[in-house]
Amino acid sequence: MSNPSLLILAGDGIGPEVMAEVQRIIGWFGDKRGLNFDVSEDLVGGAAYDAHGVPLHDDTMAKAQEVDAVLLGAVGGPKYDVLDFSVKPERGLLRLRKEMDLFANLRPAQCFDALAEFSSLKKDIVSGLDIMIVRELTSGSYFGEPRGIFTENNERVGINTQRYTESEIDRVARAAFELARKRNKKLCSMEKANVMESGILWRDVVTEVHADYQDVELSHMYADNGAMQLVRAPKQFDVILTDNLFGDLLSDCAAMLTGSLGMLPSASLGAPMENGRPKALYEPVHGSAPDIAGQGKANPSACILSFAMALRYSFDQGGEADRLEAAVEKVLADGVRTADLMQADGGTPVSTSEMGSAIIAALDASL
Ligand code: IPM
Ligand code: MG
């Protein structure tokens, strides 16, 4: 049988430098664990715009549809702020999500013990935090029609449409219930059923799907209250299910609870392909961080942990994913810190590649 295939889209800013460390990790799993991947690389975001005048070339889109999983670094940068909306780097990422139909975005927010003091919240509120946000990713106000800027009565009107079909809610709800089943069996669904019809439908459909998952405890919350509860007492949650736009906001909020954006991975999953694997794209939650790009300062952990999610969700290698996550945790516990994880008072930060090396050493030690 041929090796599973990976398409690496390192993208912009710190994307390429953190992805270089992921490549080393992939190499380690090939050498030491006999897990070999056919890796190809291509461009996305500003890098694709510079080469082709579009943030995602059609050939790259076609490749993404064929591989077993896509690993993405980051897109965007100030250089591209002036571009027309239709060719901005973000459009490349949104096209991948939409055309691969990656409807379930898994965003874990986990507080590593060694980093609990980095949270802007009190340590006891966040230590041990382990929640999973499931964000709908291919519909809602990000994609709803009509959209655009129109002229009415001699003034401009900006329009976006929040639109959800039953089947779109049903499939992402099932993904969230399945995950909850494997975790602490608690699911909280967030919408604005008090002001939005799409929220009423969301609540109805999630409640219907619950009939198939009676072993999971379901609750509903208005999304604004959800934001407040996330900051007040985040450990009350296990899995949070929400729509595309609320999910964008709530996942940034949850990410910051952990105090370390440089540590958070994500997975975007679609329907199963012929080989049974889900369509999948894995990416760190952090952005392209143009202010530190190219300086070897970036923390590669989030991107490395995104590869761990790929091992778990695309390649059925949960044990190896655990091994990689444990290696990252050990490196943190040993006090190894990139610049983003330094306290004001101190020590010398390690570089991106030194962090990669420390994680590889921890992997070696795990054998
Ligand atoms: C995210 C980002 C994206 C989004 C941007 C880069 C298009 O904020 O993945 O959360 O809004 O979905
Ligand atoms: Mg966001």
Side-chain angles (χ1 to χ4, degrees):
M1 242 179 64
S2 59
N3 296 327
S5 52
L6 283 175
L7 173 62
I8 292 194
L9 303 174
D12 306 325
I14 60 172
E17 53 202 288
V18 295
M19 200 57 91
E21 301 311 308
V22 176
Q23 295 260 29
R24 293 173 66 198
I25 302 283
I26 294 171
W28 185 90
F29 278 94
D31 294 347
K32 304 287 173 70
R33 306 298 299 156
L35 271 179
N36 291 291
F37 296 93
D38 289 337
V39 179
S40 55
E41 292 182 69
D42 212 328
L43 304 173
V44 69
Y49 179 83
D50 289 339
H52 307 300
V54 285
L56 187 76
H57 195 279
D58 289 346
D59 293 347
T60 316
M61 187 65 241
K63 267 192 230 167
Q65 296 283 19
E66 273 161 25
V67 291
D68 291 313
V70 178
L71 300 181
L72 189 136
V75 295
K79 177 178 163 195
Y80 307 105
D81 286 349
V82 296
L83 294 183
D84 187 72
F85 182 74
S86 64
V87 289
K88 281 208 193 301
E90 290 79 5
R91 303 310 304 171
L93 176 57
L94 292 167
R95 181 175 178 200
L96 283 163
R97 289 175 179 173
K98 186 67 179 174
E99 292 192 22
M100 292 171 75
D101 202 16
L102 304 171
F103 59 86
N105 182 211
L106 279 45
R107 299 192 163 189
Q110 218 187 332
C111 185
F112 291 87
D113 276 346
L115 301 178
E117 74 262 29
F118 286 91
S119 178
S120 45
L121 299 190
K122 294 192 192 78
K123 193 171 169 181
D124 60 308
I125 293 186
V126 294
S127 73
L129 179 73
D130 178 7
I131 61 186
M132 174 75 87
I133 297 197
V134 179
R135 167 190 178 192
E136 199 291 326
L137 202 60
T138 52
S139 186
S141 52
Y142 270 55
F143 297 99
E145 299 282 348
R147 65 183 297 169
I149 300 177
F150 306 97
T151 302
E152 266 174 32
N153 302 325
N154 287 322
E155 66 170 346
R156 288 175 301 158
V157 191
I159 299 181
N160 291 92
T161 301
Q162 167 79 332
R163 180 179 193 276
Y164 271 106
T165 63
E166 279 186 272
S167 54
E168 286 168 340
I169 302 167
D170 182 284
R171 65 182 185 171
V172 73
R174 282 180 198 281
F177 276 114
E178 292 288 341
L179 272 169
R181 201 168 243 180
K182 294 191 193 121
R183 295 172 45 102
N184 292 325
K185 297 190 165 51
K186 271 171 54 181
L187 178 67
C188 181
S189 171
M190 296 186 186
E191 26 57 13
K192 286 281 288 176
N194 50 344
V195 285
M196 297 168 81
E197 284 79 0
S198 58
I200 297 175
L201 182 69
W202 184 280
R203 193 174 279 221
D204 279 356
V205 175
V206 172
T207 304
E208 283 160 26
V209 173
H210 185 213
D212 293 341
Y213 297 89
Q214 289 293 324
D215 52 322
V216 177
E217 180 192 319
L218 171 66
S219 59
H220 303 276
M221 209 177 256
Y222 298 139
D224 54 343
N225 182 27
M228 191 265 275
Q229 294 297 337
L230 267 174
V231 180
R232 192 185 73 85
K235 284 189 253 182
Q236 69 185 284
F237 298 113
D238 178 24
V239 178
I240 293 174
L241 166 65
T242 191
D243 78 8
N244 203 342
L245 182 58
F246 294 142
D248 184 41
L249 308 180
L250 293 170
S251 65
D252 263 27
C253 178
M256 206 53 224
L257 297 175
T258 70
S260 42
L261 217 47
M263 297 303 304
L264 296 175
S266 78
S268 303
L269 305 176
M273 299 184 282
E274 258 170 41
N275 59 17
R277 296 188 174 114
K279 275 264 162 77
L281 179 147
Y282 299 88
E283 58 178 318
V285 168
H286 64 66
S288 59
D291 51 323
I292 58 161
Q295 299 170 33
K297 287 184 184 165
N299 183 354
S301 301
C303 206
I304 289 171
L305 292 170
S306 298
F307 176 63
M309 289 187 90
L311 289 171
R312 177 173 293 118
Y313 294 110
S314 283
F315 304 117
D316 215 11
Q317 294 286 344
E320 298 302 321
D322 290 346
R323 178 193 299 281
L324 181 50
E325 287 163 357
V328 173
E329 201 156 355
K330 171 162 192 310
V331 164
L332 292 177
D334 289 349
V336 182
R337 301 277 186 270
T338 41
D340 57 310
L341 304 177
M342 296 305 294
Q343 297 283 46
D345 55 356
T348 314
V350 300
S351 68
T352 308
S353 64
E354 284 165 343
M355 190 70 172
S357 300
I359 293 169
I360 287 174
L363 282 171
D364 280 334
S366 77
L367 293 176

